[in-house]
Amino acid sequence: MAFPDIRPRRLRRTPAIRRLVEETRLAPSELILPMFLKEGLTEPKPISSLPGVVQHTRESLRKAAAEAVAAGVGGLMLFGVPDNANKDETGSAGLDPDGILNVGLRDLRAELGDSTVIMSDLCLDEFTSHGHCGVLAGDGSVDNDATLKIYADMAVAQADAGAHMVGPSGMMDGQIGVIRRALDAAGHQDIAILAYSAKYAGAFYGPFREAVESTLQGDRRQYQQDPPNLREALREVDLDIAEGADIVMVKPALPYLDIIAAIRDRVTVPVAAYQVSGEYAMVEAAAANGWIDRERVILESLTSIKRAGAQITLTYWAVEAANLIRNR
């Protein structure tokens, strides 16, 4: 046989052959669409740093959610954006049954029923006047244990409003166990917990903070994870699973593919990743300047996240990616 004897290129020769041996395949049902519902809007409001993403009215939220489900997207993650006048030191609007997040959850459940997975962001940062993920102690630090009591009530309020799954994202110690016990005690044993187990205090969240009109004072490095640390993420995941997490998540995604892979190798529960606003915005900006092939980069980035080990991805491209996957 003429040199070379082994020719891997044979399996790359045509699109049909490449599809046949493809090792990682994206599916619309594995994508989750994050959505923002803004209190008091009369029409959708574009988010300047997230081209194509808007703050929704109640009406536009229902319409966009139905379109996402029709496209085959696997779930929706809802964030509530209250009027600044309704923010306070303890984030009380997040617990209010008539607050914007719980109203939105009821709207989605009434519109969609069980045809998709309705998820709720379980955190106080959108609702506090200081923008932190919990209540503050006298010295200005986030009071972990006082915050847990609020998270418990918030979880029950979101389950009452119709969430199939709650997403605790505040990175408080013990939050999963407290939330699980609160849900069970309220008769919500079937409500699942998507734990933001490895949420890093990185620099990729800027556009999201515009989307939720963040009032953050300072930073979140005292409770979110330090970007250089991997073993710390494994410890957090172990604790969350022991406390009752049904799914564990890494946030952000692309800068932390090694974390996703390490967690996938360690656990038997589903692993998710959040392709955050900064990841989205960088691609959109580069594409707007003609520097990259936008659609190919969208699919390549999502493929890399799945290849690393995430079977679920939260992405602002969920609907568009679902259509691209279906039409490949």
Side-chain angles (χ1 to χ4, degrees):
M1 184 179 293
F3 177 83
D5 295 338
I6 299 173
R7 295 179 181 270
R9 287 181 56 186
R10 293 188 189 110
L11 298 184
R12 304 175 199 145
R13 194 166 55 86
T14 69
I17 293 174
R18 292 195 296 271
R19 285 194 301 271
L20 181 68
V21 300
E22 194 172 63
E23 297 176 22
T24 304
R25 289 190 171 97
L26 296 173
S29 60
E30 298 169 340
L31 304 177
I32 307 298
L33 177 65
M35 307 183 80
F36 303 100
L37 176 62
K38 167 65 178 174
E39 186 174 18
L41 287 185
T42 57
E43 59 183 30
K45 180 182 178 182
I47 300 165
S48 63
S49 54
L50 288 172
V53 181
V54 301
Q55 291 179 329
H56 284 287
T57 66
R58 290 177 65 184
E59 181 180 357
S60 70
L61 176 75
R62 291 191 294 267
K63 182 175 183 290
E67 290 171 351
V69 174
V73 167
L76 311 169
M77 174 64 80
L78 185 62
F79 297 86
V81 185
D83 188 276
N84 282 336
N86 291 326
K87 296 182 179 183
D88 58 28
E89 289 291 308
T90 62
S92 60
L95 283 70
D96 184 353
D98 295 319
I100 190 62
L101 178 55
N102 291 322
V103 165
L105 290 171
R106 284 200 299 274
D107 285 348
L108 290 178
R109 191 61 181 268
E111 182 77 20
L112 302 169
D114 294 332
S115 64
T116 191
V117 183
I118 299 169
M119 305 176 179
S120 54
D121 179 59
L122 202 170
C123 196
L124 291 175
D125 58 317
E126 294 100 302
F127 302 98
T128 54
S129 53
H130 46 72
H132 279 286
C133 298
V135 296
L136 301 184
D139 62 1
S141 64
V142 173
D143 187 326
N144 190 95
D145 295 1
T147 298
L148 293 181
K149 297 176 183 177
I150 298 175
Y151 281 4
D153 293 338
M154 195 174 189
V156 173
Q158 292 178 357
D160 287 344
H164 294 103
M165 190 175 296
V166 296
S169 60
M171 290 298 292
M172 297 295 119
D173 293 341
Q175 64 182 12
I176 303 304
V178 166
I179 289 167
R180 183 71 272 159
R181 289 192 293 273
L183 289 170
D184 291 353
H188 291 302
Q189 295 90 342
D190 292 334
I191 301 303
I193 299 176
L194 166 63
Y196 287 61
S197 299
K199 183 178 180 181
Y200 283 86
F204 286 85
Y205 303 128
F208 176 89
R209 290 177 183 165
E210 179 192 350
V212 299
E213 300 181 6
S214 174
T215 54
L216 179 62
Q217 301 167 15
D219 58 48
R220 297 178 175 138
R221 296 181 183 180
Q222 290 188 351
Y223 46 99
Q224 292 180 358
Q225 285 186 232
D226 197 14
N229 296 349
L230 185 154
R231 290 189 298 275
E232 181 182 24
L234 300 180
R235 186 184 187 200
E236 290 279 5
V237 165
D238 288 345
L239 289 168
D240 281 357
I241 292 174
E243 291 175 24
D246 298 287
I247 302 172
V248 295
M249 186 158 71
V250 178
K251 180 180 180 181
L254 277 177
Y256 296 91
L257 295 180
D258 59 325
I259 309 296
I260 296 171
I263 291 172
R264 175 68 287 163
D265 287 343
R266 189 179 186 88
V267 306
T268 56
V269 301
V271 176
Y274 197 142
Q275 187 178 53
V276 300
S277 61
E279 299 173 60
Y280 176 97
M282 289 191 298
V283 171
E284 291 291 345
N289 281 282
W291 298 335
I292 58 173
D293 182 327
R294 179 178 173 278
E295 291 184 354
R296 286 187 62 192
V297 170
I298 290 172
L299 293 180
E300 186 175 342
S301 65
L302 290 170
T303 300
S304 72
I305 294 166
K306 184 173 182 180
R307 189 182 62 240
Q311 70 185 78
I312 300 165
T313 302
L314 279 72
T315 175
Y316 301 100
W317 286 308
V319 175
E320 181 176 2
N323 290 324
L324 291 173
I325 293 165
R326 197 164 44 243
N327 295 323
R328 287 177 73 180

